Amino acid sequence: MSEMSNSNFSKTTSIQQAIASCCGAIITSLFVTPLDVVKTRLQAQSNPFPKGKCFVYSSGLMDHICVCESGDSKGWYKKNGHFKGTLDAFVKIIKIEGIKSLWSGLPPTLIMALPTTVIYFTCYDQLSEALKSRLGKDNDHIPIVAGSLSRFGSVTVVSPLELIRTRMQYRKLSYKQLHMCISSKVARDGWLSLWRGWSSTVLRDVPFSAMYWYNYERFKKMMCKNLGAHEPTFFIAFTSGAASGSIAAVITLPFDVVKTHRQTELWESETLKIPQSASTWAVMRKIVAKNGIAGLFAGVGPRLFKVAPACAIMISTYEYGKSFFSHLNEKSNQHP
């Protein structure tokens, strides 16, 4: 099946869209996680993580904060490797520790990443359909509105869950202890304290999403026209996803830098009792004062290296999945 049905979105149900996004999420994380595992291992080798220190771990779908455990723990990020570089690290990890080590730390993060991705993609499609019937099929604002709203919703739902997951991972709490810990936190700081760090995530993810979907729909339309395809092929979806993901990643990079600072500060203030900056803008000002404007664009290479393939794999497998269901539905309608 070389062509993927775009005009038949209405023929895929929200359950089918959820299944397609779930499959896309699993495939994306299987491809992208090894890149981040190797990056983390190289980081830990040159600068070992002390207890209570944080690092950001990404499965290609979302970022997760990992809080380093006590010195004697056997954290995957603490294993010695003596790697000379990225390729050497890949080869040695597979040879010495086995290929499974490339997906260290993935299962607990998938528990968060899957619901986020399913909510995000299914909401985007449902909102796009609803807006198309109101504003007309070719309205350029639809991807911006649908992309922003669906991302805003998924971040808001998952933000407190991710906070809880990190706390469980760091303190090794049982569910009963966790319940007590959250109850006392809510009693002390109010319900909104469960959404700490939400603003910096929204500030990065909502503009990213608006730009990503706007450019993705435009590139897809343009490539279909140039290649004379009625419907987007896997190649068109893959290329459009990589290009639009790269553009959005570069433009929103300052917010990514701030979000990483803010997230790690948040946890270090809790575990190491280090005071944290007041707000997202305060973090931004601090980075600019220390490293200039260039500090806000630090790490553009690694971010592109991770975001471009993640966006390309996710969107093309998602579109392919929907196309599969759309053809399936067409067949079952023809043969009742």
Side-chain angles (χ1 to χ4, degrees), residues 244-291:
S244 48
S246 301
I247 293 166
V250 171
I251 295 171
T252 59
L253 189 66
F255 294 116
D256 182 59
V257 172
V258 169
K259 177 185 178 283
T260 305
H261 269 263
R262 192 111 167 74
Q263 267 187 316
T264 49
E265 258 190 5
L266 199 116
W267 280 102
E268 283 164 10
S269 75
E270 186 154 311
T271 56
L272 304 174
K273 304 292 176 257
I274 297 169
Q276 62 173 68
S277 305
S279 68
T280 300
W281 302 113
V283 174
M284 215 172 228
R285 282 198 300 272
K286 200 167 88 178
I287 295 166
V288 171
K290 196 177 169 193
N291 305 315

mmCIF file of all heavy atoms in Angstrom, residues 244-291:
data_model
loop_
_atom_site.group_PDB
_atom_site.id
_atom_site.type_symbol
_atom_site.label_atom_id
_atom_site.label_comp_id
_atom_site.label_asym_id
_atom_site.label_seq_id
_atom_site.Cartn_x
_atom_site.Cartn_y
_atom_site.Cartn_z
ATOM 1 N N SER A 244 9.129 19.753 8.833
ATOM 2 C CA SER A 244 8.344 20.626 9.716
ATOM 3 C C SER A 244 8.793 20.492 11.173
ATOM 4 O O SER A 244 8.819 21.477 11.916
ATOM 5 C CB SER A 244 6.851 20.340 9.583
ATOM 6 O OG SER A 244 6.596 18.966 9.661
ATOM 7 N N GLY A 245 9.200 19.276 11.574
ATOM 8 C CA GLY A 245 9.724 19.069 12.926
ATOM 9 C C GLY A 245 11.017 19.838 13.144
ATOM 10 O O GLY A 245 11.227 20.427 14.215
ATOM 11 N N SER A 246 11.882 19.864 12.123
ATOM 12 C CA SER A 246 13.164 20.572 12.230
ATOM 13 C C SER A 246 12.958 22.075 12.373
ATOM 14 O O SER A 246 13.592 22.725 13.208
ATOM 15 C CB SER A 246 14.033 20.304 10.995
ATOM 16 O OG SER A 246 14.269 18.919 10.879
ATOM 17 N N ILE A 247 12.052 22.623 11.554
ATOM 18 C CA ILE A 247 11.781 24.078 11.608
ATOM 19 C C ILE A 247 11.242 24.451 12.994
ATOM 20 O O ILE A 247 11.732 25.382 13.639
ATOM 21 C CB ILE A 247 10.776 24.490 10.491
ATOM 22 C CG1 ILE A 247 11.421 24.328 9.106
ATOM 23 C CG2 ILE A 247 10.298 25.931 10.692
ATOM 24 C CD1 ILE A 247 10.446 24.376 7.946
ATOM 25 N N ALA A 248 10.247 23.704 13.454
ATOM 26 C CA ALA A 248 9.642 23.993 14.760
ATOM 27 C C ALA A 248 10.659 23.829 15.894
ATOM 28 O O ALA A 248 10.669 24.603 16.851
ATOM 29 C CB ALA A 248 8.434 23.085 14.984
ATOM 30 N N ALA A 249 11.546 22.833 15.768
ATOM 31 C CA ALA A 249 12.549 22.575 16.811
ATOM 32 C C ALA A 249 13.534 23.730 16.934
ATOM 33 O O ALA A 249 13.892 24.131 18.046
ATOM 34 C CB ALA A 249 13.299 21.283 16.506
ATOM 35 N N VAL A 250 13.967 24.283 15.809
ATOM 36 C CA VAL A 250 14.936 25.389 15.835
ATOM 37 C C VAL A 250 14.288 26.649 16.419
ATOM 38 O O VAL A 250 14.857 27.323 17.279
ATOM 39 C CB VAL A 250 15.508 25.663 14.418
ATOM 40 C CG1 VAL A 250 16.341 26.940 14.402
ATOM 41 C CG2 VAL A 250 16.350 24.485 13.951
ATOM 42 N N ILE A 251 13.055 26.952 15.962
ATOM 43 C CA ILE A 251 12.391 28.183 16.417
ATOM 44 C C ILE A 251 12.050 28.125 17.910
ATOM 45 O O ILE A 251 12.155 29.123 18.618
ATOM 46 C CB ILE A 251 11.130 28.476 15.553
ATOM 47 C CG1 ILE A 251 11.573 28.779 14.101
ATOM 48 C CG2 ILE A 251 10.343 29.652 16.114
ATOM 49 C CD1 ILE A 251 10.449 28.865 13.099
ATOM 50 N N THR A 252 11.658 26.949 18.399
ATOM 51 C CA THR A 252 11.268 26.850 19.819
ATOM 52 C C THR A 252 12.434 26.437 20.724
ATOM 53 O O THR A 252 12.230 26.183 21.905
ATOM 54 C CB THR A 252 10.105 25.848 20.006
ATOM 55 O OG1 THR A 252 10.522 24.550 19.513
ATOM 56 C CG2 THR A 252 8.852 26.277 19.292
ATOM 57 N N LEU A 253 13.661 26.407 20.163
ATOM 58 C CA LEU A 253 14.814 25.971 20.959
ATOM 59 C C LEU A 253 15.008 26.761 22.262
ATOM 60 O O LEU A 253 15.265 26.163 23.301
ATOM 61 C CB LEU A 253 16.088 26.000 20.109
ATOM 62 C CG LEU A 253 17.311 25.369 20.781
ATOM 63 C CD1 LEU A 253 17.131 23.863 20.983
ATOM 64 C CD2 LEU A 253 18.566 25.630 19.973
ATOM 65 N N PRO A 254 14.870 28.116 22.262
ATOM 66 C CA PRO A 254 15.034 28.838 23.533
ATOM 67 C C PRO A 254 14.105 28.315 24.631
ATOM 68 O O PRO A 254 14.511 28.190 25.787
ATOM 69 C CB PRO A 254 14.680 30.287 23.171
ATOM 70 C CG PRO A 254 14.951 30.383 21.715
ATOM 71 C CD PRO A 254 14.630 29.042 21.144
ATOM 72 N N PHE A 255 12.874 27.969 24.252
ATOM 73 C CA PHE A 255 11.922 27.453 25.244
ATOM 74 C C PHE A 255 12.293 26.046 25.707
ATOM 75 O O PHE A 255 12.014 25.659 26.832
ATOM 76 C CB PHE A 255 10.490 27.478 24.693
ATOM 77 C CG PHE A 255 9.974 28.870 24.450
ATOM 78 C CD1 PHE A 255 9.648 29.307 23.178
ATOM 79 C CD2 PHE A 255 9.831 29.762 25.504
ATOM 80 C CE1 PHE A 255 9.184 30.601 22.959
ATOM 81 C CE2 PHE A 255 9.377 31.058 25.303
ATOM 82 C CZ PHE A 255 9.059 31.481 24.028
ATOM 83 N N ASP A 256 12.952 25.290 24.815
ATOM 84 C CA ASP A 256 13.413 23.954 25.190
ATOM 85 C C ASP A 256 14.540 24.052 26.209
ATOM 86 O O ASP A 256 14.572 23.317 27.192
ATOM 87 C CB ASP A 256 13.895 23.205 23.937
ATOM 88 C CG ASP A 256 14.334 21.781 24.253
ATOM 89 O OD1 ASP A 256 13.510 21.010 24.769
ATOM 90 O OD2 ASP A 256 15.504 21.450 24.018
ATOM 91 N N VAL A 257 15.459 25.005 25.975
ATOM 92 C CA VAL A 257 16.581 25.218 26.894
ATOM 93 C C VAL A 257 16.043 25.627 28.274
ATOM 94 O O VAL A 257 16.455 25.099 29.305
ATOM 95 C CB VAL A 257 17.550 26.302 26.330
ATOM 96 C CG1 VAL A 257 18.607 26.684 27.350
ATOM 97 C CG2 VAL A 257 18.205 25.808 25.047
ATOM 98 N N VAL A 258 15.066 26.547 28.270
ATOM 99 C CA VAL A 258 14.470 27.026 29.520
ATOM 100 C C VAL A 258 13.731 25.900 30.230
ATOM 101 O O VAL A 258 13.851 25.724 31.446
ATOM 102 C CB VAL A 258 13.514 28.219 29.242
ATOM 103 C CG1 VAL A 258 12.684 28.546 30.467
ATOM 104 C CG2 VAL A 258 14.307 29.439 28.823
ATOM 105 N N LYS A 259 12.983 25.107 29.459
ATOM 106 C CA LYS A 259 12.201 24.010 30.052
ATOM 107 C C LYS A 259 13.124 23.012 30.747
ATOM 108 O O LYS A 259 12.845 22.562 31.862
ATOM 109 C CB LYS A 259 11.388 23.301 28.972
ATOM 110 C CG LYS A 259 10.602 22.111 29.479
ATOM 111 C CD LYS A 259 9.919 21.395 28.324
ATOM 112 C CE LYS A 259 9.171 20.170 28.799
ATOM 113 N NZ LYS A 259 10.043 19.032 29.087
ATOM 114 N N THR A 260 14.238 22.676 30.101
ATOM 115 C CA THR A 260 15.196 21.729 30.693
ATOM 116 C C THR A 260 15.761 22.294 32.004
ATOM 117 O O THR A 260 15.799 21.605 33.012
ATOM 118 C CB THR A 260 16.323 21.417 29.691
ATOM 119 O OG1 THR A 260 15.728 20.959 28.481
ATOM 120 C CG2 THR A 260 17.260 20.360 30.215
ATOM 121 N N HIS A 261 16.156 23.569 31.969
ATOM 122 C CA HIS A 261 16.671 24.225 33.181
ATOM 123 C C HIS A 261 15.637 24.196 34.294
ATOM 124 O O HIS A 261 15.927 23.887 35.435
ATOM 125 C CB HIS A 261 17.006 25.699 32.880
ATOM 126 C CG HIS A 261 18.412 25.900 32.439
ATOM 127 N ND1 HIS A 261 19.409 26.290 33.284
ATOM 128 C CD2 HIS A 261 18.983 25.757 31.213
ATOM 129 C CE1 HIS A 261 20.544 26.398 32.602
ATOM 130 N NE2 HIS A 261 20.310 26.075 31.344
ATOM 131 N N ARG A 262 14.419 24.549 33.902
ATOM 132 C CA ARG A 262 13.329 24.688 34.883
ATOM 133 C C ARG A 262 12.969 23.332 35.494
ATOM 134 O O ARG A 262 12.739 23.220 36.691
ATOM 135 C CB ARG A 262 12.120 25.276 34.152
ATOM 136 C CG ARG A 262 11.024 25.756 35.049
ATOM 137 C CD ARG A 262 10.885 27.252 35.045
ATOM 138 N NE ARG A 262 9.622 27.614 35.682
ATOM 139 C CZ ARG A 262 9.392 27.552 36.974
ATOM 140 N NH1 ARG A 262 10.330 27.162 37.789
ATOM 141 N NH2 ARG A 262 8.221 27.893 37.472
ATOM 142 N N GLN A 263 12.919 22.307 34.646
ATOM 143 C CA GLN A 263 12.565 20.968 35.130
ATOM 144 C C GLN A 263 13.626 20.428 36.084
ATOM 145 O O GLN A 263 13.298 19.876 37.126
ATOM 146 C CB GLN A 263 12.443 19.996 33.941
ATOM 147 C CG GLN A 263 11.034 19.870 33.414
ATOM 148 C CD GLN A 263 10.975 18.766 32.367
ATOM 149 O OE1 GLN A 263 11.832 18.669 31.506
ATOM 150 N NE2 GLN A 263 9.959 17.941 32.428
ATOM 151 N N THR A 264 14.899 20.582 35.696
ATOM 152 C CA THR A 264 15.957 20.057 36.563
ATOM 153 C C THR A 264 16.043 20.867 37.861
ATOM 154 O O THR A 264 16.234 20.309 38.930
ATOM 155 C CB THR A 264 17.324 20.036 35.845
ATOM 156 O OG1 THR A 264 17.539 21.304 35.244
ATOM 157 C CG2 THR A 264 17.386 18.976 34.786
ATOM 158 N N GLU A 265 15.845 22.179 37.770
ATOM 159 C CA GLU A 265 15.830 23.035 38.965
ATOM 160 C C GLU A 265 14.737 22.611 39.936
ATOM 161 O O GLU A 265 14.932 22.564 41.139
ATOM 162 C CB GLU A 265 15.557 24.491 38.553
ATOM 163 C CG GLU A 265 16.784 25.348 38.536
ATOM 164 C CD GLU A 265 16.442 26.818 38.366
ATOM 165 O OE1 GLU A 265 15.253 27.183 38.350
ATOM 166 O OE2 GLU A 265 17.376 27.615 38.262
ATOM 167 N N LEU A 266 13.577 22.317 39.342
ATOM 168 C CA LEU A 266 12.407 21.936 40.134
ATOM 169 C C LEU A 266 12.710 20.732 41.008
ATOM 170 O O LEU A 266 12.389 20.697 42.188
ATOM 171 C CB LEU A 266 11.271 21.597 39.160
ATOM 172 C CG LEU A 266 9.871 21.600 39.689
ATOM 173 C CD1 LEU A 266 9.077 22.695 38.987
ATOM 174 C CD2 LEU A 266 9.185 20.275 39.377
ATOM 175 N N TRP A 267 13.381 19.735 40.385
ATOM 176 C CA TRP A 267 13.687 18.506 41.135
ATOM 177 C C TRP A 267 14.854 18.676 42.069
ATOM 178 O O TRP A 267 14.886 18.114 43.159
ATOM 179 C CB TRP A 267 13.893 17.336 40.173
ATOM 180 C CG TRP A 267 12.555 16.849 39.779
ATOM 181 C CD1 TRP A 267 11.905 17.101 38.612
ATOM 182 C CD2 TRP A 267 11.635 16.130 40.599
ATOM 183 N NE1 TRP A 267 10.644 16.581 38.644
ATOM 184 C CE2 TRP A 267 10.446 15.969 39.860
ATOM 185 C CE3 TRP A 267 11.684 15.611 41.882
ATOM 186 C CZ2 TRP A 267 9.334 15.299 40.344
ATOM 187 C CZ3 TRP A 267 10.572 14.945 42.376
ATOM 188 C CH2 TRP A 267 9.408 14.796 41.607
ATOM 189 N N GLU A 268 15.833 19.478 41.649
ATOM 190 C CA GLU A 268 16.971 19.688 42.534
ATOM 191 C C GLU A 268 16.580 20.519 43.749
ATOM 192 O O GLU A 268 17.132 20.371 44.825
ATOM 193 C CB GLU A 268 18.140 20.297 41.755
ATOM 194 C CG GLU A 268 18.834 19.225 40.926
ATOM 195 C CD GLU A 268 19.741 19.743 39.841
ATOM 196 O OE1 GLU A 268 20.008 20.966 39.824
ATOM 197 O OE2 GLU A 268 20.176 18.939 39.010
ATOM 198 N N SER A 269 15.559 21.378 43.587
ATOM 199 C CA SER A 269 15.082 22.152 44.741
ATOM 200 C C SER A 269 14.403 21.208 45.731
ATOM 201 O O SER A 269 14.434 21.403 46.940
ATOM 202 C CB SER A 269 14.098 23.231 44.289
ATOM 203 O OG SER A 269 12.849 22.659 43.967
ATOM 204 N N GLU A 270 13.806 20.128 45.190
ATOM 205 C CA GLU A 270 13.107 19.175 46.053
ATOM 206 C C GLU A 270 14.056 18.165 46.686
ATOM 207 O O GLU A 270 13.943 17.844 47.860
ATOM 208 C CB GLU A 270 12.045 18.443 45.222
ATOM 209 C CG GLU A 270 11.187 17.554 46.069
ATOM 210 C CD GLU A 270 9.806 17.333 45.460
ATOM 211 O OE1 GLU A 270 9.137 18.293 45.074
ATOM 212 O OE2 GLU A 270 9.426 16.173 45.370
ATOM 213 N N THR A 271 15.018 17.669 45.899
ATOM 214 C CA THR A 271 15.886 16.602 46.408
ATOM 215 C C THR A 271 17.128 17.132 47.110
ATOM 216 O O THR A 271 17.569 16.583 48.100
ATOM 217 C CB THR A 271 16.316 15.657 45.264
ATOM 218 O OG1 THR A 271 16.942 16.438 44.249
ATOM 219 C CG2 THR A 271 15.133 14.928 44.671
ATOM 220 N N LEU A 272 17.700 18.227 46.555
ATOM 221 C CA LEU A 272 18.941 18.753 47.147
ATOM 222 C C LEU A 272 18.703 20.055 47.912
ATOM 223 O O LEU A 272 19.643 20.662 48.406
ATOM 224 C CB LEU A 272 19.986 19.003 46.041
ATOM 225 C CG LEU A 272 20.354 17.815 45.151
ATOM 226 C CD1 LEU A 272 21.266 18.264 44.030
ATOM 227 C CD2 LEU A 272 21.019 16.717 45.966
ATOM 228 N N LYS A 273 17.430 20.474 47.944
ATOM 229 C CA LYS A 273 17.025 21.711 48.636
ATOM 230 C C LYS A 273 17.769 22.944 48.091
ATOM 231 O O LYS A 273 18.156 23.844 48.824
ATOM 232 C CB LYS A 273 17.243 21.596 50.157
ATOM 233 C CG LYS A 273 16.534 20.403 50.801
ATOM 234 C CD LYS A 273 15.025 20.570 50.782
ATOM 235 C CE LYS A 273 14.282 19.360 51.323
ATOM 236 N NZ LYS A 273 13.689 18.504 50.313
ATOM 237 N N ILE A 274 17.979 22.948 46.746
ATOM 238 C CA ILE A 274 18.608 24.114 46.104
ATOM 239 C C ILE A 274 17.486 25.085 45.757
ATOM 240 O O ILE A 274 16.493 24.684 45.134
ATOM 241 C CB ILE A 274 19.366 23.695 44.812
ATOM 242 C CG1 ILE A 274 20.497 22.738 45.158
ATOM 243 C CG2 ILE A 274 19.873 24.898 44.045
ATOM 244 C CD1 ILE A 274 21.131 22.050 43.959
ATOM 245 N N PRO A 275 17.593 26.360 46.119
ATOM 246 C CA PRO A 275 16.510 27.294 45.772
ATOM 247 C C PRO A 275 16.391 27.444 44.262
ATOM 248 O O PRO A 275 17.394 27.417 43.544
ATOM 249 C CB PRO A 275 16.942 28.616 46.420
ATOM 250 C CG PRO A 275 18.408 28.465 46.672
ATOM 251 C CD PRO A 275 18.682 27.009 46.840
ATOM 252 N N GLN A 276 15.156 27.597 43.770
ATOM 253 C CA GLN A 276 14.956 27.674 42.323
ATOM 254 C C GLN A 276 14.535 29.069 41.889
ATOM 255 O O GLN A 276 14.029 29.852 42.672
ATOM 256 C CB GLN A 276 13.913 26.655 41.878
ATOM 257 C CG GLN A 276 12.531 26.884 42.490
ATOM 258 C CD GLN A 276 11.523 25.959 41.867
ATOM 259 O OE1 GLN A 276 11.583 24.772 42.060
ATOM 260 N NE2 GLN A 276 10.573 26.498 41.146
ATOM 261 N N SER A 277 14.763 29.384 40.596
ATOM 262 C CA SER A 277 14.364 30.680 40.047
ATOM 263 C C SER A 277 12.856 30.806 40.094
ATOM 264 O O SER A 277 12.129 29.817 40.012
ATOM 265 C CB SER A 277 14.827 30.795 38.595
ATOM 266 O OG SER A 277 16.195 30.561 38.505
ATOM 267 N N ALA A 278 12.401 32.046 40.160
ATOM 268 C CA ALA A 278 10.977 32.302 40.363
ATOM 269 C C ALA A 278 10.112 31.859 39.197
ATOM 270 O O ALA A 278 9.074 31.256 39.388
ATOM 271 C CB ALA A 278 10.774 33.782 40.631
ATOM 272 N N SER A 279 10.527 32.132 37.974
ATOM 273 C CA SER A 279 9.632 31.869 36.842
ATOM 274 C C SER A 279 10.428 31.496 35.608
ATOM 275 O O SER A 279 11.655 31.558 35.583
ATOM 276 C CB SER A 279 8.817 33.125 36.532
ATOM 277 O OG SER A 279 9.699 34.119 36.018
ATOM 278 N N THR A 280 9.665 31.119 34.566
ATOM 279 C CA THR A 280 10.267 30.773 33.274
ATOM 280 C C THR A 280 11.093 31.946 32.749
ATOM 281 O O THR A 280 12.206 31.772 32.259
ATOM 282 C CB THR A 280 9.144 30.410 32.277
ATOM 283 O OG1 THR A 280 8.442 29.294 32.812
ATOM 284 C CG2 THR A 280 9.686 30.067 30.906
ATOM 285 N N TRP A 281 10.527 33.167 32.865
ATOM 286 C CA TRP A 281 11.226 34.353 32.345
ATOM 287 C C TRP A 281 12.484 34.638 33.149
ATOM 288 O O TRP A 281 13.481 35.110 32.612
ATOM 289 C CB TRP A 281 10.284 35.568 32.348
ATOM 290 C CG TRP A 281 9.071 35.289 31.518
ATOM 291 C CD1 TRP A 281 7.789 35.150 31.956
ATOM 292 C CD2 TRP A 281 9.030 35.054 30.099
ATOM 293 N NE1 TRP A 281 6.952 34.842 30.905
ATOM 294 C CE2 TRP A 281 7.674 34.787 29.762
ATOM 295 C CE3 TRP A 281 9.999 35.046 29.080
ATOM 296 C CZ2 TRP A 281 7.275 34.511 28.455
ATOM 297 C CZ3 TRP A 281 9.585 34.770 27.779
ATOM 298 C CH2 TRP A 281 8.240 34.504 27.484
ATOM 299 N N ALA A 282 12.440 34.354 34.455
ATOM 300 C CA ALA A 282 13.622 34.551 35.301
ATOM 301 C C ALA A 282 14.746 33.618 34.857
ATOM 302 O O ALA A 282 15.916 34.009 34.811
ATOM 303 C CB ALA A 282 13.265 34.301 36.762
ATOM 304 N N VAL A 283 14.380 32.374 34.520
ATOM 305 C CA VAL A 283 15.368 31.388 34.029
ATOM 306 C C VAL A 283 15.976 31.901 32.718
ATOM 307 O O VAL A 283 17.193 31.844 32.512
ATOM 308 C CB VAL A 283 14.713 29.997 33.812
ATOM 309 C CG1 VAL A 283 15.697 29.031 33.177
ATOM 310 C CG2 VAL A 283 14.208 29.427 35.127
ATOM 311 N N MET A 284 15.113 32.437 31.840
ATOM 312 C CA MET A 284 15.551 32.948 30.547
ATOM 313 C C MET A 284 16.559 34.087 30.733
ATOM 314 O O MET A 284 17.606 34.116 30.085
ATOM 315 C CB MET A 284 14.331 33.448 29.778
ATOM 316 C CG MET A 284 14.423 33.213 28.302
ATOM 317 S SD MET A 284 12.879 33.617 27.517
ATOM 318 C CE MET A 284 12.620 32.200 26.514
ATOM 319 N N ARG A 285 16.221 35.000 31.643
ATOM 320 C CA ARG A 285 17.100 36.148 31.906
ATOM 321 C C ARG A 285 18.455 35.681 32.464
ATOM 322 O O ARG A 285 19.504 36.200 32.114
ATOM 323 C CB ARG A 285 16.430 37.121 32.883
ATOM 324 C CG ARG A 285 15.382 38.007 32.222
ATOM 325 C CD ARG A 285 15.069 39.230 33.075
ATOM 326 N NE ARG A 285 14.544 38.854 34.392
ATOM 327 C CZ ARG A 285 13.259 38.651 34.655
ATOM 328 N NH1 ARG A 285 12.372 38.773 33.690
ATOM 329 N NH2 ARG A 285 12.860 38.319 35.869
ATOM 330 N N LYS A 286 18.389 34.653 33.330
ATOM 331 C CA LYS A 286 19.601 34.111 33.948
ATOM 332 C C LYS A 286 20.525 33.501 32.884
ATOM 333 O O LYS A 286 21.740 33.701 32.910
ATOM 334 C CB LYS A 286 19.204 33.041 34.980
ATOM 335 C CG LYS A 286 20.280 32.751 36.013
ATOM 336 C CD LYS A 286 19.735 31.950 37.165
ATOM 337 C CE LYS A 286 19.816 30.457 36.896
ATOM 338 N NZ LYS A 286 19.334 29.634 38.009
ATOM 339 N N ILE A 287 19.929 32.755 31.932
ATOM 340 C CA ILE A 287 20.711 32.116 30.857
ATOM 341 C C ILE A 287 21.353 33.185 29.970
ATOM 342 O O ILE A 287 22.528 33.097 29.621
ATOM 343 C CB ILE A 287 19.830 31.150 30.013
ATOM 344 C CG1 ILE A 287 19.353 29.970 30.881
ATOM 345 C CG2 ILE A 287 20.590 30.631 28.806
ATOM 346 C CD1 ILE A 287 18.235 29.149 30.259
ATOM 347 N N VAL A 288 20.566 34.224 29.617
ATOM 348 C CA VAL A 288 21.076 35.296 28.750
ATOM 349 C C VAL A 288 22.198 36.058 29.460
ATOM 350 O O VAL A 288 23.224 36.379 28.857
ATOM 351 C CB VAL A 288 19.932 36.251 28.312
ATOM 352 C CG1 VAL A 288 20.486 37.480 27.601
ATOM 353 C CG2 VAL A 288 18.959 35.521 27.389
ATOM 354 N N ALA A 289 22.019 36.321 30.767
ATOM 355 C CA ALA A 289 23.053 37.042 31.543
ATOM 356 C C ALA A 289 24.350 36.244 31.579
ATOM 357 O O ALA A 289 25.451 36.797 31.501
ATOM 358 C CB ALA A 289 22.534 37.300 32.956
ATOM 359 N N LYS A 290 24.223 34.909 31.669
ATOM 360 C CA LYS A 290 25.407 34.051 31.805
ATOM 361 C C LYS A 290 26.083 33.778 30.459
ATOM 362 O O LYS A 290 27.299 33.840 30.335
ATOM 363 C CB LYS A 290 24.975 32.729 32.453
ATOM 364 C CG LYS A 290 26.137 31.918 32.998
ATOM 365 C CD LYS A 290 25.626 30.660 33.676
ATOM 366 C CE LYS A 290 26.741 29.705 33.995
ATOM 367 N NZ LYS A 290 26.226 28.382 34.372
ATOM 368 N N ASN A 291 25.270 33.436 29.439
ATOM 369 C CA ASN A 291 25.848 32.983 28.153
ATOM 370 C C ASN A 291 25.452 33.829 26.939
ATOM 371 O O ASN A 291 25.755 33.458 25.807
ATOM 372 C CB ASN A 291 25.437 31.529 27.870
ATOM 373 C CG ASN A 291 25.814 30.599 28.992
ATOM 374 O OD1 ASN A 291 26.913 30.664 29.504
ATOM 375 N ND2 ASN A 291 24.891 29.737 29.401
#
